Amino acid sequence: MAKKKFVVGSFKEESVLFPAVKAVRKAGYKIHDVFTPYAVHGLDHEMGLRETSIHTAGFIYGITGTATALGCISWILVQDWPLNIGGKPHFALPAWIPITFELTVLFSAVGMTMTFCYLCQLAPFVKKHHFVLRSTDDTFAMVIDAGKSNSQEIIAFLEAQGAVDVHEQFAETGWWFGTYNKEQQLYKDTTVDIA
Amino acid sequence: MHLKYEAQIREPLVDGDKDYHQVSEDICRPIEVKPSRLWYIGFFISIALLLFGVWSIYDQVVYGVGQWNLNKTVGWGWDITNFVWWIGIGHAGTLISAILLLFRQGWRTGVNRAAEAMTIFAVICAGQFPIWHMGRVWLAFFIMPYPNSRGPVWVNFNSPLLWDVFAVSTYFTVSLLFWYTGLLPDLALIRDRAKTKFRKFFYGITSFGWTGSTKHWQRHEALSLVLAGLATPLVLSVHTIVSFDFATSVIPGWHTTIFPPYFVAGAIFSGFAMVQTLLLILRRVFNLQDYITLGHIEAMNKVIVLTGSIVGIAYLTELFIAFYSQNQYEAYAFFYTRANLFSPYGWAYYGMMTCNVLSPQIFWFRKMRRNIYVTFFMSIIVNIGMWFERFVIIATSIFRDYLPSSWSIYYSPSIFEIGFYVGTFGLFFTCFFLFSKYFPVIAIAEIKHVLKTSGQNYKEQVGGIELQKVEEFAGEYAH
């Protein structure tokens, strides 16, 4: 993906941000993303994002864990190496509940976290473009996908909505390997001027 | 505008005139300045204790578990006592981060990060005891079920000791994931503020490229909620299973059905005491009094008095059931060796009763709950008491077997057992000192989340508006 054109506006207050999101969507501009320092509840609905399905993934991982535990233990203690413990049944389900429960939780938690990291592209040495550095501190940064439209128009629109420090940025939206102590970009700017 | 409303009569969770940036400044400062001299002193004392532990374990590994004063009936001594004690301490962290999240307790935001870190370090310390007690520690992987060339011989899935392996390792993993996913946004904040190359590099790697995108936050919230939902039964299961180590045996004093709830309550009790000890020091050293307020301390003291009283009721119930059962072995365990000041371990039982049941009752008084010095003193007392509890349960039940010919002499620890225990303190505090230097000790993003509903300055603003509205209403309708 090559670099794309974005218009970035900063907000200092949630109370300004929410109406602005609504107005921007109504005006038909495409919000690329809003970067916030904390989880602003309701912003995802305001932006029209769909509900995440990570819970469903967690449930599937969980029942995988249950099945793994029950399957393995019953095969081991009934089929592979049955032990006679005081004539008690080999298939001793009540005694397996603790481990079954633990594996359910383990599979679900690990699976969900890995899914979360995969979906959000989070991993050590992953580097991304950060539109506004203070968006992890105290700024709500709204990034609008400018596409081929006139950025000046969007800038004026955002300023009218109460955004500050509105400007245009050319940025990559993907991720790449790198560290934050070095200036690295995913793609080198290879455009050459032809006379 | 904010989406949550909090009653004005509730105490603010964040004191002082703060905005988002000020919150970041306050909590990141300890990371961005050179550590104080106190930090260095504490850190090197911890390292020294840790080295004492390393030496004790080295000797034990080289010469064998015989270096410990275990004998034919006391097969478990200080090691299992300390294991249960450390695991119990860990429980408060999960209670704060998971159960209080489900109960929507806003005050958890100020203390959850440090408490979760404490959980992780406490579980690491706890894990050391069963591992090194194995003697031939290089064969420790035998506790994992895997196809092998010895039969294959499998581990016994019907044994509570194996349940413990699964419970503790799952608990550690889930706590670690929960803690770290919560850390990501805060590490990203430090990365974006970073001025030095090292900080840019280190926090760049550890923050995993977090941007704060709304979609990511949405998933993050869903993940935290489900992890909290998973961690809640998990934390209850862990100490339940630890109590099964005892309760499924047929040793008088262990063979009781009350053990699971009694152990869980005791675990939360001791864990909160440890959280108090750590946080009272932390808020003082790092000037975080605005974030860990007296309100937070009071709330935790309420949990301490509640769980302490549950534990007290459990002790009395045990005594009653031992009497009611009319079983001579139960009676011997409870009325001869435990609740008898003149028996060999009577001092431990009465120490436990004083520290765990009587002294926390002081927290029925609001003045005491909000007194930092009393709280600090009590937090130490409670932890001593909870250590006594585990020691009483373990030593008094096994030091005299059914046959007088199998009675052992008085069990007291060897220097290697003491060194091992002291060493885990070194490990715990070394980890905690490093954590407090390199990681934000308060969940910054979560504080920001509650700031506008529960911060002092915002509450005052809203309070002013409300008062004005009441007056307007009165002006219009009152006669």
Side-chain angles (χ1 to χ4, degrees):
Chain A
M1 218 185 295
K3 286 190 174 182
K4 280 163 74 177
K5 187 169 78 176
F6 296 99
V7 172
V8 183
S10 299
F11 294 84
K12 291 285 175 191
E13 294 286 336
E14 303 92 321
S15 49
V16 187
L17 173 71
F18 271 80
V21 170
K22 199 172 246 173
V24 167
R25 288 187 65 201
K26 207 171 170 193
Y29 297 119
K30 192 180 158 205
I31 298 181
H32 169 67
D33 213 333
V34 180
F35 298 94
T36 59
Y38 68 89
V40 184
H41 285 181
L43 184 61
D44 45 348
H45 296 293
E46 201 70 56
M47 283 167 62
L49 298 178
R50 92 179 169 86
E51 200 51 61
T52 170
S53 318
I54 201 163
H55 329 78
T56 318
F59 178 73
I60 294 169
Y61 295 126
I63 51 172
T64 313
T66 318
T68 310
L70 284 181
C72 286
I73 301 176
S74 34
W75 177 75
I76 289 167
L77 290 187
V78 177
Q79 192 69 37
D80 192 49
W81 197 268
L83 278 173
N84 187 341
I85 304 167
K88 289 176 186 169
H90 294 312
F91 189 79
L93 191 61
W96 303 342
I97 285 174
I99 294 183
T100 310
F101 171 74
E102 300 300 333
L103 282 197
T104 307
V105 170
L106 183 70
F107 274 51
S108 181
V110 174
M112 270 181 74
T113 311
M114 284 167 69
T115 310
F116 167 72
C117 287
Y118 171 76
L119 291 175
C120 301
Q121 295 127 14
L122 298 171
F125 294 101
V126 159
K127 197 171 174 180
K128 289 172 192 159
H129 176 76
H130 298 271
F131 288 93
V132 178
L133 272 189
R134 284 187 72 137
S135 67
T136 47
D137 185 354
D138 62 348
T139 303
F140 306 87
M142 190 197 289
V143 180
I144 293 178
D145 196 339
K148 287 196 177 71
S149 48
N150 180 4
S151 340
Q152 287 313 317
E153 190 187 308
I154 304 176
I155 289 172
F157 185 80
L158 273 186
E159 271 168 354
Q161 299 304 322
V164 289
D165 186 28
V166 190
H167 60 279
E168 192 184 60
Q169 274 189 34
F170 287 88
E172 293 148 358
T173 52
W175 60 274
W176 59 96
F177 285 114
T179 54
Y180 279 86
N181 56 334
K182 292 191 189 110
E183 283 296 324
Q184 292 156 325
Q185 293 290 312
L186 183 54
Y187 296 104
K188 285 200 185 89
D189 200 358
T190 49
T191 45
V192 264
D193 289 325
I194 300 165
Chain B
M1 185 196 82
H2 207 273
L3 293 157
K4 198 179 142 222
Y5 174 75
E6 197 182 277
Q8 288 305 302
I9 49 168
R10 282 191 191 272
E11 219 177 321
L13 294 175
V14 183
D15 282 344
D17 189 17
K18 309 280 183 208
D19 57 10
Y20 291 141
H21 184 62
Q22 191 58 40
V23 173
S24 314
E25 286 286 329
D26 288 348
I27 300 172
C28 293
R29 194 186 314 112
I31 301 165
E32 291 168 350
V33 297
K34 278 219 160 82
S36 64
R37 188 192 297 196
L38 260 178
W39 187 90
Y40 277 109
I41 294 173
F43 184 66
F44 284 112
I45 292 175
S46 310
I47 293 274
L49 296 181
L50 176 61
L51 290 177
F52 184 30
V54 170
W55 169 76
S56 309
I57 290 180
Y58 170 78
D59 210 85
Q60 190 257 109
V61 170
V62 171
Y63 298 103
V65 186
Q67 294 296 83
W68 294 353
N69 274 355
L70 303 177
N71 53 47
K72 65 186 167 195
T73 61
V74 187
W76 282 354
W78 267 44
D79 53 341
I80 190 88
T81 305
N82 300 335
F83 164 71
V84 180
W85 188 76
W86 275 121
I87 280 279
I89 281 179
H91 279 50
T94 321
L95 184 104
I96 291 173
S97 58
I99 300 184
L100 296 186
L101 176 79
L102 297 184
F103 284 149
R104 297 265 178 255
Q105 294 292 306
W107 61 272
R108 61 179 278 286
T109 50
V111 293
N112 63 349
R113 172 69 44 73
E116 283 170 42
M118 180 200 77
T119 294
I120 290 161
F121 306 144
V123 175
I124 293 174
C125 290
Q128 303 306 316
F129 290 96
I131 288 176
W132 297 100
H133 190 181
M134 286 177 199
R136 284 185 275 176
V137 72
W138 48 96
L139 298 178
F141 62 91
F142 276 21
I143 60 173
M144 287 298 160
Y146 64 98
N148 55 64
S149 55
R150 306 185 295 276
V153 174
W154 297 95
V155 287
N156 183 4
F157 291 96
N158 299 335
S159 159
L161 295 179
L162 190 77
W163 304 346
D164 238 5
V165 172
F166 279 88
V168 174
S169 49
T170 302
Y171 184 47
F172 176 72
T173 315
V174 174
S175 304
L176 190 69
L177 294 177
F178 198 21
W179 179 67
Y180 203 80
T181 46
L183 261 173
L184 287 175
D186 295 351
L187 293 173
L189 165 67
I190 302 170
R191 172 199 69 203
D192 292 345
R193 288 164 55 93
K195 301 258 169 5
T196 66
K197 272 210 154 158
F198 167 75
R199 250 181 266 145
K200 278 182 180 160
F201 174 77
F202 179 71
Y203 295 105
I205 293 171
T206 48
S207 63
F208 287 14
W210 176 266
T211 55
S213 151
T214 306
K215 188 69 195 174
H216 296 183
W217 273 120
Q218 186 200 38
R219 293 190 186 119
H220 189 270
E221 288 289 282
L223 177 73
S224 326
L225 191 63
V226 179
L227 282 185
L230 288 170
T232 301
L234 177 68
V235 67
L236 301 182
S237 85
V238 172
H239 229 62
T240 299
I241 291 175
V242 168
S243 80
F244 283 167
D245 291 349
F246 305 100
T248 57
S249 70
V250 283
I251 307 288
W254 290 5
H255 192 60
T256 59
T257 45
I258 202 177
F259 259 30
Y262 155 33
F263 266 51
V264 170
I268 291 163
F269 180 53
S270 65
F272 267 90
M274 190 57 121
V275 173
Q276 295 278 36
T277 314
L278 294 174
L279 287 185
L280 288 176
I281 299 173
L282 207 62
R283 76 197 279 272
R284 187 67 164 271
V285 173
F286 290 157
N287 281 322
L288 295 172
Q289 284 94 336
D290 286 344
Y291 300 94
I292 304 167
T293 63
L294 282 181
H296 289 91
I297 291 165
E298 187 185 2
M300 288 192 279
N301 281 337
K302 283 179 183 165
V303 178
I304 287 181
V305 70
L306 171 74
T307 48
S309 305
I310 295 176
V311 168
I313 287 177
Y315 295 159
L316 298 180
T317 310
E318 271 189 331
L319 287 181
F320 173 74
I321 294 295
F323 153 76
Y324 194 61
S325 72
Q326 292 290 304
N327 180 310
Q328 54 176 326
Y329 300 108
E330 288 280 310
Y332 185 80
F334 281 101
F335 295 108
Y336 178 74
T337 45
R338 289 192 190 171
N340 171 8
L341 192 56
F342 304 103
S343 80
Y345 290 111
W347 56 271
Y349 187 81
Y350 281 94
M352 159 188 116
M353 276 294 193
T354 319
C355 296
N356 286 355
V357 185
L358 295 181
S359 51
Q361 304 305 326
I362 198 175
F363 285 143
W364 287 106
F365 301 101
R366 185 165 193 263
K367 263 216 161 105
M368 296 293 135
R369 288 199 300 266
R370 295 179 78 89
N371 185 318
I372 291 173
Y373 300 98
V374 171
T375 304
F376 189 75
F377 178 71
M378 281 308 303
S379 71
I380 308 278
I381 291 290
V382 166
N383 266 322
I384 294 172
M386 282 311 289
W387 190 88
F388 273 142
E389 180 201 295
R390 277 64 181 252
F391 182 72
V392 164
I393 291 171
I394 289 150
T396 59
S397 280
I398 53 179
F399 88 113
R400 286 186 181 166
D401 209 349
Y402 292 100
L403 286 174
S405 60
S406 322
W407 285 11
S408 63
I409 50 161
Y410 188 74
Y411 163 76
S412 56
S414 74
I415 184 70
F416 303 104
E417 281 167 284
I418 297 171
F420 190 4
Y421 184 42
V422 171
T424 50
F425 272 97
L427 177 62
F428 180 79
F429 283 105
T430 306
C431 291
F432 203 82
F433 274 110
L434 287 175
F435 160 73
S436 63
K437 171 69 191 80
Y438 291 104
F439 291 91
V441 291
I442 289 180
I444 305 173
E446 292 186 35
I447 287 285
K448 286 176 184 166
H449 184 70
V450 297
L451 185 68
K452 290 209 171 163
T453 49
S454 315
Q456 194 189 6
N457 46 343
Y458 293 98
K459 287 197 96 150
E460 277 164 9
Q461 280 172 22
V462 176
I465 295 169
E466 278 186 0
L467 198 66
Q468 202 185 339
K469 276 188 181 160
V470 168
E471 276 166 7
E472 276 169 20
F473 183 82
E476 275 174 42
Y477 294 99
H479 298 289

